[in-house]
Amino acid sequence: RLKYFRENWNLFDFCCVTATDIGIFLQVFAGLQLGPVFSVVRLFRIARLFRLVRFAKGLNQLFTAFVLSLPKLVNVAAILCLLLFLYAVLGVSLFGKVKLSGSLDDRANFRTFYRALMTLVRSMTGEAWNELMHDLSRDKFYFESVLEEHCVETLRITSETYSTYVEQGILPGAPNECAPAGTDSVGVSGLFFSSFTSLVSFVVLNLFIAVIFEGFEDSMSSP
């Protein structure tokens, strides 16, 4: 009987059946209504479909490669999260007061840490990061001549100036800092997004693919 538990697929099936039986018992006999918990338990019934993987040799190799790659994928994901955190903090520090325009809108900006993080995740996929780069570098001449909107070259927020900016409607939700006139070039924003794209999009994301390939090679060599 103990030979049954020596095979991983049998252990997996045993866990699925046990979790399902416990869920049915608690719901029918104990009368407990745990809502989301039962939804998770029902997923174990669907998980039994993974048993079909072992009957398909090619699919089984891919599944084994994925399982072998999980520890290394977690390490790469940790590096990715660290880079996203660092660049989000840096983005808020550099571009948190920049006036919104073009692709730099309420959904893509660096005014809060959460919104900066979401903006970087979007840019990580290659979605319009170059447009954001240019919109972050617009100068005073562009805003006042092209868009006909007022902006300030330096928005210094101190205890003395904060109340003034609040009365003018600039703070807390509409900072309007822009680059000095004649400096409409992708300087700081260009360096920021170029380094981010090089490190994250071209290096870290490709590490995921390399780790999966390595796991596939391990699965091919394993008995």
Side-chain angles (χ1 to χ4, degrees):
R1 296 179 181 179
L2 295 178
K3 292 182 179 180
Y4 176 84
F5 295 100
R6 294 178 182 176
E7 187 176 348
N8 293 330
W9 282 111
N10 291 339
L11 288 173
F12 177 77
D13 194 30
F14 177 79
C15 293
C16 292
V17 174
T18 303
T20 303
D21 292 341
I22 292 174
I24 295 174
F25 177 82
L26 292 176
Q27 188 173 12
V28 176
F29 296 100
L32 297 178
Q33 300 294 331
L34 299 180
V37 177
F38 285 119
S39 299
V40 175
V41 172
R42 292 189 189 101
L43 291 177
F44 282 97
R45 304 176 189 175
I46 304 175
R48 295 188 64 186
L49 293 174
F50 282 106
R51 285 180 59 87
L52 299 175
V53 172
R54 64 177 180 174
F55 297 109
K57 183 178 179 181
L59 188 60
N60 190 20
Q61 287 180 344
L62 292 176
F63 185 77
T64 304
F66 175 74
V67 173
L68 293 176
S69 303
L70 280 179
K72 297 178 182 178
L73 288 175
V74 171
N75 294 332
V76 178
I79 296 175
L80 176 61
C81 293
L82 177 61
L83 288 175
L84 286 174
F85 176 82
L86 293 176
Y87 271 92
V89 173
L90 182 60
V92 172
S93 177
L94 293 175
F95 311 118
K97 298 180 291 183
V98 174
K99 185 177 178 64
L100 302 183
S101 65
S103 299
L104 193 67
D105 52 22
D106 293 333
R107 297 182 179 180
N109 58 73
F110 291 90
R111 291 186 174 177
T112 63
F113 175 80
Y114 171 76
R115 187 52 55 190
L117 191 63
M118 293 297 101
T119 302
L120 291 175
V121 170
R122 193 190 82 172
S123 301
M124 183 176 63
T125 65
E127 175 66 26
W129 66 269
N130 55 328
E131 295 180 8
L132 288 172
M133 178 182 65
H134 288 285
D135 290 330
L136 286 169
S137 62
R138 300 301 185 187
D139 63 353
K140 187 177 181 67
F141 176 81
Y142 174 83
F143 280 104
E144 296 186 350
S145 300
V146 179
L147 300 182
E148 298 182 350
E149 297 179 0
H150 176 69
C151 71
V152 294
E153 296 181 356
T154 303
L155 189 65
R156 298 187 181 276
I157 303 175
T158 62
S159 57
E160 291 80 12
T161 61
Y162 181 81
S163 58
T164 303
Y165 289 143
V166 171
E167 293 175 358
Q168 295 175 354
I170 297 176
L171 295 178
N176 62 347
E177 187 176 80
C178 58
T183 59
D184 188 5
S185 61
V186 287
V188 177
S189 62
L191 181 61
F192 178 85
F193 276 99
S194 296
S195 60
F196 176 78
T197 303
S198 300
L199 286 175
V200 177
S201 300
F202 295 156
V203 177
V204 178
L205 293 184
N206 286 325
L207 280 178
F208 282 98
I209 301 175
V211 168
I212 293 174
F213 275 128
E214 184 178 358
F216 184 76
E217 292 179 358
D218 294 340
S219 66
M220 293 288 289
S221 60
S222 61

